[in-house]
Amino acid sequence: MEKKKTDPGFHDLKPTIWVGKQGMTETILDEIKSQIKVRKVIKVKWLSSIEIEPESVATQSRTKLLQVRGRTMVLGDPKLFQ
């Protein structure tokens, strides 16, 4: 039986930023920017009780939105992911 080849995605990447009930603050955006410089790809999770627009977060933090699944987004360095 042939194994179905799937996109590796970012399943193994652990969230490094958690957005709490205060929502997306300037401090969190600054943290995203600093982590992208070091890690190149980061995963951000947020509470179900708040509304987050992943496209807006990527634009504000000057990163590339790579994936959104539920309440989790993966952001990457725009220089590496064109």
Side-chain angles (χ1 to χ4, degrees):
M1 196 169 179
E2 189 176 319
K3 202 171 194 178
K4 185 178 177 184
K5 188 170 183 172
T6 59
D7 177 32
F10 302 100
H11 183 72
D12 293 339
L13 189 63
K14 301 288 183 213
T16 57
I17 296 179
W18 293 80
V19 181
K21 58 187 170 186
Q22 292 181 346
M24 190 58 62
T25 62
E26 196 63 39
T27 305
I28 293 176
L29 288 171
D30 290 342
E31 183 63 24
I32 289 172
K33 291 174 192 175
S34 66
Q35 283 193 23
I36 283 291
K37 288 179 185 175
V38 175
R39 299 175 183 262
K40 306 302 181 201
V41 177
I42 62 169
K43 189 180 273 190
V44 181
K45 289 190 86 153
W46 63 91
L47 291 175
S48 60
S49 60
I50 63 168
E51 290 294 320
I52 297 276
E53 288 294 327
E55 297 86 7
S56 174
V57 173
T59 303
Q60 291 175 3
S61 63
R62 288 183 234 107
T63 58
K64 173 106 171 136
L65 181 62
L66 302 176
Q67 186 180 63
V68 178
R69 285 192 166 198
R71 296 181 324 272
T72 305
M73 70 177 123
V74 178
L75 299 170
D77 188 337
K79 297 173 193 159
L80 297 177
F81 301 94
Q82 305 249 344

Coordinates of all heavy atoms in Angstrom, one line a residue:
M1 N 0.8 -1.2 0.0 CA 0.0 0.0 0.0 C 0.9 1.3 0.0 O 1.8 1.4 0.8 CB -0.9 0.0 1.2 CG -2.0 0.9 1.2 SD -3.1 0.5 2.6 CE -4.3 1.7 2.4
E2 N 0.6 2.2 -0.9 CA 1.4 3.4 -1.0 C 1.0 4.4 0.0 O -0.2 4.7 0.2 CB 1.2 4.0 -2.4 CG 2.2 5.1 -2.7 CD 2.1 5.6 -4.1 OE1 1.9 4.7 -5.0 OE2 2.1 6.8 -4.3
K3 N 2.0 5.0 0.7 CA 1.7 6.0 1.7 C 1.4 7.3 1.0 O 2.1 7.7 0.1 CB 2.9 6.1 2.6 CG 2.5 6.7 4.0 CD 3.7 6.6 4.9 CE 3.3 6.8 6.3 NZ 4.3 6.7 7.3
K4 N 0.4 8.0 1.4 CA 0.0 9.3 0.8 C 1.0 10.3 1.3 O 1.2 10.5 2.5 CB -1.4 9.6 1.3 CG -1.9 10.9 0.6 CD -3.4 11.1 1.1 CE -3.9 12.4 0.5 NZ -5.2 12.7 1.0
K5 N 1.6 11.0 0.3 CA 2.6 12.0 0.7 C 1.8 13.3 0.9 O 1.1 13.8 0.1 CB 3.6 12.2 -0.5 CG 4.7 13.1 -0.1 CD 5.8 13.1 -1.2 CE 6.9 14.0 -0.7 NZ 8.1 13.9 -1.5
T6 N 2.1 13.9 2.1 CA 1.3 15.1 2.4 C 2.3 16.3 2.6 O 3.5 16.1 2.7 CB 0.5 15.0 3.7 OG1 1.5 14.6 4.7 CG2 -0.5 13.9 3.6
D7 N 1.8 17.5 2.5 CA 2.6 18.7 2.8 C 3.1 18.6 4.2 O 2.3 18.5 5.1 CB 1.8 19.9 2.5 CG 2.5 21.2 2.8 OD1 3.7 21.2 2.6 OD2 1.8 22.1 3.2
P8 N 4.4 18.8 4.4 CA 5.0 18.7 5.8 C 4.4 19.8 6.7 O 4.2 19.6 7.9 CB 6.5 18.8 5.6 CG 6.7 19.4 4.3 CD 5.5 19.1 3.5
G9 N 4.1 21.0 6.1 CA 3.5 22.0 6.9 C 4.4 22.5 8.0 O 5.6 22.3 8.1
F10 N 3.7 23.0 9.0 CA 4.4 23.5 10.2 C 3.9 22.8 11.5 O 3.8 23.4 12.5 CB 4.2 25.0 10.3 CG 4.7 25.7 9.1 CD1 3.8 26.1 8.1 CD2 6.0 25.9 8.9 CE1 4.3 26.7 6.9 CE2 6.5 26.6 7.8 CZ 5.6 27.0 6.8
H11 N 3.4 21.6 11.3 CA 2.8 20.9 12.4 C 3.7 20.7 13.6 O 3.3 20.8 14.8 CB 2.3 19.5 12.0 CG 1.6 18.7 13.0 ND1 0.4 19.0 13.5 CD2 2.0 17.6 13.7 CE1 0.0 18.2 14.4 NE2 1.0 17.3 14.6
D12 N 5.0 20.5 13.4 CA 6.0 20.2 14.5 C 6.5 21.5 15.1 O 7.1 21.4 16.2 CB 7.2 19.4 13.9 CG 6.8 18.0 13.5 OD1 5.8 17.5 14.0 OD2 7.5 17.4 12.7
L13 N 6.2 22.6 14.5 CA 6.6 23.9 15.1 C 5.7 24.2 16.3 O 4.5 24.2 16.3 CB 6.4 25.0 14.0 CG 7.0 26.4 14.3 CD1 8.5 26.3 14.5 CD2 6.6 27.3 13.2
K14 N 6.4 24.5 17.4 CA 5.7 24.9 18.7 C 5.4 26.4 18.7 O 6.2 27.2 18.3 CB 6.6 24.5 19.9 CG 6.9 23.0 20.0 CD 5.8 22.2 20.3 CE 6.2 20.8 20.4 NZ 5.2 19.8 20.0
P15 N 4.2 26.7 19.3 CA 3.9 28.2 19.4 C 4.9 28.9 20.3 O 5.2 28.4 21.4 CB 2.5 28.2 20.0 CG 2.0 26.8 19.8 CD 3.1 25.9 19.7
T16 N 5.4 30.0 19.8 CA 6.3 30.8 20.6 C 5.7 32.1 21.2 O 6.2 32.7 22.1 CB 7.6 31.1 19.8 OG1 7.2 31.9 18.7 CG2 8.4 29.9 19.4
I17 N 4.5 32.4 20.6 CA 3.8 33.6 21.1 C 2.4 33.2 21.3 O 1.7 32.6 20.5 CB 3.9 34.8 20.1 CG1 5.4 35.2 19.9 CG2 3.0 35.9 20.5 CD1 5.6 36.3 18.9
W18 N 1.9 33.6 22.5 CA 0.5 33.4 22.9 C -0.2 34.7 23.1 O 0.3 35.6 23.9 CB 0.4 32.6 24.1 CG 0.9 31.2 24.0 CD1 2.1 30.7 24.0 CD2 0.1 30.0 23.8 NE1 2.2 29.4 23.8 CE2 0.9 28.9 23.7 CE3 -1.3 29.8 23.7 CZ2 0.4 27.6 23.5 CZ3 -1.8 28.5 23.5 CH2 -0.9 27.4 23.4
V19 N -1.3 35.0 22.4 CA -2.0 36.3 22.5 C -3.1 36.0 23.5 O -4.0 35.2 23.3 CB -2.5 36.7 21.2 CG1 -3.3 38.1 21.3 CG2 -1.4 36.9 20.1
G20 N -3.1 36.8 24.6 CA -4.1 36.7 25.6 C -5.3 37.6 25.5 O -5.6 38.1 24.4
K21 N -6.0 37.8 26.6 CA -7.3 38.5 26.5 C -7.1 40.0 26.2 O -8.1 40.7 25.8 CB -8.1 38.3 27.8 CG -7.4 38.8 29.0 CD -8.2 38.4 30.3 CE -7.4 38.6 31.5 NZ -8.1 38.1 32.7
Q22 N -5.9 40.6 26.3 CA -5.7 41.9 25.9 C -5.6 42.1 24.4 O -5.7 43.2 23.9 CB -4.4 42.5 26.5 CG -4.5 42.6 28.0 CD -3.2 43.2 28.6 OE1 -2.2 43.2 27.9 NE2 -3.2 43.6 29.8
G23 N -5.5 41.0 23.7 CA -5.5 41.1 22.2 C -4.1 41.4 21.7 O -3.1 41.3 22.4
M24 N -4.1 41.8 20.4 CA -2.8 42.1 19.7 C -2.4 43.5 20.1 O -2.9 44.5 19.7 CB -3.1 42.0 18.2 CG -1.8 42.0 17.4 SD -0.6 40.8 17.8 CE -1.5 39.3 17.4
T25 N -1.4 43.5 21.0 CA -0.9 44.8 21.5 C 0.4 45.2 20.7 O 1.0 44.3 20.0 CB -0.6 44.7 23.0 OG1 0.5 43.8 23.2 CG2 -1.8 44.4 23.8
E26 N 0.9 46.4 20.9 CA 2.1 46.8 20.3 C 3.3 46.0 20.8 O 4.2 45.7 20.1 CB 2.4 48.3 20.6 CG 3.4 49.0 19.7 CD 3.0 49.0 18.3 OE1 1.9 49.2 17.9 OE2 3.9 48.8 17.4
T27 N 3.2 45.6 22.1 CA 4.3 44.8 22.7 C 4.4 43.4 22.0 O 5.5 42.9 21.7 CB 4.0 44.5 24.2 OG1 3.9 45.8 24.8 CG2 5.1 43.8 24.8
I28 N 3.2 42.8 21.7 CA 3.2 41.5 21.0 C 3.8 41.7 19.6 O 4.5 40.8 19.1 CB 1.8 40.9 21.0 CG1 1.5 40.5 22.5 CG2 1.8 39.6 20.1 CD1 0.1 40.0 22.7
L29 N 3.4 42.7 18.9 CA 3.9 43.0 17.5 C 5.4 43.2 17.6 O 6.1 42.6 16.7 CB 3.2 44.2 16.9 CG 1.8 44.1 16.5 CD1 1.2 45.4 16.2 CD2 1.6 43.1 15.4
D30 N 5.9 43.9 18.5 CA 7.4 44.0 18.7 C 8.1 42.7 18.9 O 9.1 42.4 18.4 CB 7.7 45.0 19.8 CG 7.4 46.4 19.5 OD1 7.1 46.7 18.3 OD2 7.2 47.2 20.4
E31 N 7.4 41.8 19.7 CA 8.0 40.5 20.0 C 8.0 39.6 18.7 O 8.9 38.9 18.5 CB 7.2 39.8 21.1 CG 7.7 38.5 21.5 CD 9.1 38.5 22.1 OE1 9.5 39.6 22.6 OE2 9.8 37.5 22.1
I32 N 6.9 39.7 17.9 CA 6.9 39.0 16.7 C 8.0 39.4 15.8 O 8.7 38.6 15.2 CB 5.5 39.2 16.0 CG1 4.4 38.5 16.7 CG2 5.6 38.7 14.5 CD1 3.0 38.8 16.2
K33 N 8.2 40.7 15.7 CA 9.3 41.2 14.8 C 10.7 40.7 15.3 O 11.5 40.3 14.5 CB 9.3 42.8 14.8 CG 8.1 43.4 14.1 CD 8.1 44.9 14.3 CE 6.8 45.5 13.9 NZ 6.8 46.9 14.2
S34 N 10.9 40.8 16.6 CA 12.2 40.3 17.1 C 12.4 38.8 17.0 O 13.5 38.4 16.7 CB 12.4 40.8 18.6 OG 11.5 40.1 19.4
Q35 N 11.4 38.0 17.2 CA 11.5 36.6 17.0 C 11.7 36.2 15.5 O 12.4 35.2 15.2 CB 10.3 35.9 17.6 CG 10.3 35.8 19.1 CD 9.3 34.8 19.7 OE1 8.9 33.9 19.0 NE2 9.0 35.0 20.9
I36 N 11.1 36.9 14.6 CA 11.2 36.6 13.2 C 12.7 36.8 12.8 O 13.2 36.0 12.0 CB 10.3 37.5 12.3 CG1 8.9 36.9 12.4 CG2 10.7 37.5 10.9 CD1 8.6 35.6 11.7
K37 N 13.3 37.8 13.3 CA 14.7 38.1 13.0 C 15.6 36.9 13.4 O 16.6 36.5 12.7 CB 15.3 39.3 13.7 CG 14.7 40.6 13.1 CD 15.2 41.8 13.9 CE 14.6 43.1 13.4 NZ 15.0 44.2 14.2
V38 N 15.3 36.2 14.5 CA 16.1 35.1 15.0 C 15.7 33.8 14.4 O 16.5 33.0 13.9 CB 16.1 35.1 16.5 CG1 16.8 33.9 17.1 CG2 16.6 36.4 17.1
R39 N 14.4 33.5 14.5 CA 13.9 32.2 14.2 C 13.5 32.0 12.7 O 13.4 30.9 12.2 CB 12.7 31.8 15.0 CG 12.9 31.8 16.5 CD 11.6 31.6 17.3 NE 11.8 31.6 18.7 CZ 12.0 30.6 19.4 NH1 11.9 29.4 18.9 NH2 12.1 30.7 20.7
K40 N 13.2 33.1 12.0 CA 12.7 33.1 10.6 C 11.3 32.6 10.4 O 10.6 33.0 9.5 CB 13.7 32.3 9.7 CG 15.1 32.8 9.8 CD 15.3 34.2 9.5 CE 16.7 34.6 9.5 NZ 16.9 36.0 9.7
V41 N 10.8 31.7 11.2 CA 9.4 31.2 11.2 C 8.9 31.0 12.6 O 9.6 30.4 13.4 CB 9.3 29.8 10.5 CG1 7.9 29.3 10.5 CG2 9.8 29.9 9.0
I42 N 7.8 31.6 12.9 CA 7.2 31.4 14.3 C 5.7 31.1 14.2 O 5.1 31.3 13.2 CB 7.4 32.7 15.1 CG1 6.6 33.9 14.5 CG2 8.8 33.0 15.3 CD1 6.5 35.1 15.4
K43 N 5.2 30.5 15.3 CA 3.8 30.1 15.4 C 3.2 31.0 16.5 O 3.8 31.1 17.5 CB 3.7 28.6 15.7 CG 2.2 28.1 15.6 CD 2.1 26.7 15.9 CE 2.4 25.8 14.6 NZ 2.0 24.4 14.9
V44 N 2.0 31.6 16.2 CA 1.3 32.4 17.1 C -0.1 31.8 17.4 O -0.8 31.5 16.4 CB 1.2 33.8 16.5 CG1 0.4 34.7 17.5 CG2 2.5 34.4 16.1
K45 N -0.4 31.7 18.6 CA -1.8 31.2 19.0 C -2.5 32.3 19.8 O -1.9 33.1 20.4 CB -1.7 29.9 19.9 CG -1.2 28.7 19.1 CD -1.4 27.5 20.0 CE -2.8 27.0 19.8 NZ -3.0 25.6 20.0
W46 N -3.8 32.2 19.7 CA -4.6 33.2 20.5 C -5.8 32.6 21.0 O -6.3 31.5 20.6 CB -5.0 34.4 19.6 CG -5.8 34.2 18.4 CD1 -7.2 34.2 18.4 CD2 -5.4 33.8 17.1 NE1 -7.6 33.9 17.1 CE2 -6.5 33.7 16.3 CE3 -4.1 33.6 16.5 CZ2 -6.5 33.3 14.9 CZ3 -4.1 33.3 15.2 CH2 -5.2 33.2 14.4
L47 N -6.4 33.2 22.1 CA -7.6 32.8 22.8 C -8.8 32.8 21.9 O -8.9 33.7 21.0 CB -7.8 33.6 24.0 CG -6.9 33.5 25.2 CD1 -7.2 34.6 26.2 CD2 -6.9 32.2 25.8
S48 N -9.7 31.9 22.1 CA -10.9 31.9 21.3 C -11.9 33.1 21.6 O -12.7 33.4 20.9 CB -11.7 30.6 21.5 OG -12.0 30.4 22.9
S49 N -11.6 33.7 22.8 CA -12.5 34.8 23.2 C -12.1 36.1 22.5 O -12.8 37.1 22.7 CB -12.4 35.0 24.7 OG -11.1 35.2 25.1
I50 N -11.1 36.2 21.8 CA -10.7 37.4 21.1 C -10.7 37.2 19.6 O -10.5 36.1 19.1 CB -9.3 38.0 21.6 CG1 -8.2 37.0 21.2 CG2 -9.3 38.3 23.0 CD1 -6.8 37.6 21.4
E51 N -10.8 38.3 18.9 CA -10.8 38.3 17.4 C -9.5 38.8 16.9 O -9.0 39.9 17.3 CB -11.9 39.2 16.9 CG -13.3 38.7 17.1 CD -13.6 37.4 16.3 OE1 -13.2 37.3 15.2 OE2 -14.2 36.5 16.9
I52 N -8.9 38.0 16.1 CA -7.6 38.4 15.5 C -7.7 38.2 13.9 O -8.3 37.2 13.5 CB -6.5 37.4 16.0 CG1 -6.2 37.6 17.5 CG2 -5.2 37.6 15.2 CD1 -5.4 38.7 17.9
E53 N -7.2 39.2 13.2 CA -7.2 39.1 11.7 C -5.7 38.7 11.4 O -4.9 39.6 11.4 CB -7.6 40.4 11.1 CG -9.1 40.6 11.2 CD -9.9 39.7 10.4 OE1 -9.4 39.2 9.3 OE2 -11.0 39.3 10.9
P54 N -5.4 37.5 11.0 CA -4.0 37.1 10.7 C -3.4 37.9 9.6 O -2.2 38.3 9.7 CB -4.2 35.6 10.3 CG -5.4 35.2 11.0 CD -6.3 36.3 11.0
E55 N -4.1 38.3 8.6 CA -3.6 39.1 7.5 C -3.1 40.5 8.1 O -2.1 41.0 7.7 CB -4.6 39.3 6.4 CG -5.0 38.1 5.7 CD -6.1 37.4 6.3 OE1 -6.7 37.9 7.3 OE2 -6.5 36.2 5.9
S56 N -3.9 41.1 8.9 CA -3.6 42.3 9.5 C -2.3 42.2 10.4 O -1.5 43.1 10.4 CB -4.8 42.8 10.4 OG -4.5 44.0 11.1
V57 N -2.2 41.2 11.2 CA -1.1 41.0 12.0 C 0.2 40.9 11.2 O 1.2 41.5 11.5 CB -1.2 39.7 12.9 CG1 0.1 39.4 13.7 CG2 -2.4 39.9 13.9
A58 N 0.1 40.1 10.1 CA 1.3 40.0 9.2 C 1.7 41.3 8.6 O 2.9 41.6 8.5 CB 1.0 39.0 8.1
T59 N 0.7 42.1 8.2 CA 1.0 43.4 7.6 C 1.6 44.3 8.7 O 2.6 45.0 8.4 CB -0.3 44.1 7.1 OG1 -0.9 43.2 6.1 CG2 0.0 45.4 6.5
Q60 N 1.0 44.4 9.9 CA 1.6 45.3 10.9 C 3.0 44.9 11.4 O 3.8 45.7 11.7 CB 0.6 45.3 12.1 CG -0.7 45.9 11.8 CD -1.7 45.8 13.0 OE1 -1.3 45.3 14.0 NE2 -2.9 46.3 12.8
S61 N 3.2 43.6 11.4 CA 4.5 43.1 11.9 C 5.6 43.0 10.7 O 6.7 42.5 10.9 CB 4.4 41.8 12.6 OG 3.9 40.8 11.7
R62 N 5.1 43.3 9.5 CA 6.0 43.2 8.3 C 6.5 41.8 8.1 O 7.7 41.6 7.9 CB 7.1 44.2 8.3 CG 6.6 45.6 8.1 CD 7.7 46.6 8.1 NE 7.4 47.7 9.0 CZ 8.0 47.9 10.2 NH1 9.0 47.1 10.6 NH2 7.7 48.8 11.0
T63 N 5.6 40.8 8.3 CA 6.0 39.4 8.1 C 5.1 38.8 7.0 O 4.2 39.4 6.5 CB 5.8 38.6 9.4 OG1 4.5 38.7 9.8 CG2 6.8 39.1 10.5
K64 N 5.4 37.5 6.6 CA 4.6 36.8 5.6 C 3.7 35.8 6.3 O 4.2 35.0 7.1 CB 5.6 36.2 4.6 CG 4.9 35.3 3.6 CD 4.9 35.9 2.3 CE 4.4 34.9 1.3 NZ 3.5 35.4 0.4
L65 N 2.4 35.9 6.0 CA 1.5 34.9 6.6 C 1.6 33.6 5.8 O 1.4 33.6 4.6 CB 0.1 35.4 6.5 CG -1.0 34.5 7.1 CD1 -0.8 34.3 8.6 CD2 -2.4 35.2 6.9
L66 N 2.1 32.5 6.5 CA 2.3 31.3 5.8 C 1.2 30.3 5.9 O 0.9 29.5 5.0 CB 3.6 30.6 6.3 CG 4.9 31.5 6.2 CD1 6.0 30.8 6.8 CD2 5.2 31.8 4.7
Q67 N 0.5 30.3 7.1 CA -0.6 29.3 7.3 C -1.5 29.8 8.5 O -1.0 30.4 9.4 CB 0.1 28.0 7.7 CG -0.9 26.9 7.9 CD -0.2 25.6 8.2 OE1 0.4 25.5 9.3 NE2 -0.2 24.6 7.4
V68 N -2.8 29.5 8.3 CA -3.7 29.8 9.4 C -4.5 28.5 9.6 O -5.1 28.0 8.6 CB -4.7 30.9 9.1 CG1 -5.7 31.1 10.2 CG2 -3.9 32.2 8.8
R69 N -4.6 28.0 10.8 CA -5.4 26.9 11.1 C -6.1 27.2 12.5 O -5.4 27.2 13.5 CB -4.6 25.6 11.3 CG -4.2 25.1 9.9 CD -3.6 23.7 10.1 NE -3.6 23.1 8.8 CZ -3.4 21.8 8.6 NH1 -3.4 21.0 9.6 NH2 -3.4 21.4 7.4
G70 N -7.4 27.3 12.4 CA -8.1 27.6 13.7 C -7.7 28.9 14.3 O -7.7 29.9 13.7
R71 N -7.2 28.8 15.5 CA -6.7 30.0 16.3 C -5.2 30.0 16.3 O -4.5 30.5 17.3 CB -7.2 30.0 17.7 CG -8.8 30.1 17.7 CD -9.3 30.2 19.1 NE -8.6 29.3 20.1 CZ -8.9 28.0 20.3 NH1 -9.9 27.5 19.7 NH2 -8.3 27.4 21.2
T72 N -4.5 29.5 15.2 CA -3.1 29.4 15.1 C -2.6 30.0 13.8 O -3.2 29.6 12.8 CB -2.6 28.0 15.3 OG1 -3.1 27.5 16.6 CG2 -1.1 27.9 15.3
M73 N -1.6 30.8 13.8 CA -1.1 31.3 12.5 C 0.4 31.1 12.5 O 1.1 31.1 13.6 CB -1.4 32.7 12.2 CG -0.7 33.7 13.1 SD -1.2 35.4 12.7 CE -1.8 36.0 14.2
V74 N 1.0 30.9 11.3 CA 2.4 30.7 11.2 C 2.9 31.9 10.4 O 2.4 32.2 9.3 CB 2.8 29.4 10.5 CG1 4.3 29.3 10.3 CG2 2.3 28.2 11.3
L75 N 3.9 32.6 10.9 CA 4.4 33.8 10.2 C 5.9 33.5 9.9 O 6.6 32.8 10.6 CB 4.4 35.0 11.1 CG 3.0 35.5 11.6 CD1 3.1 36.5 12.7 CD2 2.2 36.0 10.4
G76 N 6.3 34.1 8.7 CA 7.7 33.8 8.3 C 8.4 35.1 7.9 O 7.7 36.1 7.6
D77 N 9.7 35.1 7.8 CA 10.5 36.2 7.3 C 10.2 36.4 5.8 O 10.3 35.5 5.0 CB 12.0 35.9 7.5 CG 12.8 37.1 7.2 OD1 12.4 38.0 6.5 OD2 14.0 37.0 7.7
P78 N 9.7 37.6 5.4 CA 9.3 37.9 4.1 C 10.5 37.8 3.1 O 10.3 37.5 1.9 CB 8.8 39.3 4.1 CG 9.3 39.9 5.3 CD 9.6 38.8 6.3
K79 N 11.7 37.9 3.6 CA 12.9 37.7 2.7 C 13.1 36.3 2.3 O 13.6 36.0 1.2 CB 14.2 38.2 3.4 CG 14.1 39.7 3.7 CD 15.3 40.0 4.5 CE 15.1 41.4 5.1 NZ 16.0 41.6 6.3
L80 N 12.7 35.3 3.1 CA 12.8 33.9 2.8 C 11.6 33.3 2.1 O 11.8 32.4 1.3 CB 13.0 33.1 4.1 CG 14.3 33.4 4.9 CD1 14.3 32.6 6.2 CD2 15.5 33.2 4.1
F81 N 10.4 33.9 2.3 CA 9.2 33.3 1.7 C 8.6 34.4 0.8 O 7.9 35.3 1.2 CB 8.2 32.9 2.8 CG 8.7 31.9 3.7 CD1 9.3 32.3 4.9 CD2 8.6 30.6 3.4 CE1 9.8 31.3 5.8 CE2 9.1 29.6 4.3 CZ 9.7 30.0 5.5
Q82 N 8.9 34.3 -0.5 CA 8.5 35.3 -1.5 C 7.2 34.8 -2.2 O 6.9 33.8 -2.5 CB 9.6 35.6 -2.5 CG 10.8 36.0 -1.8 CD 11.2 37.4 -2.0 OE1 10.7 38.1 -2.9 NE2 12.0 37.9 -1.1

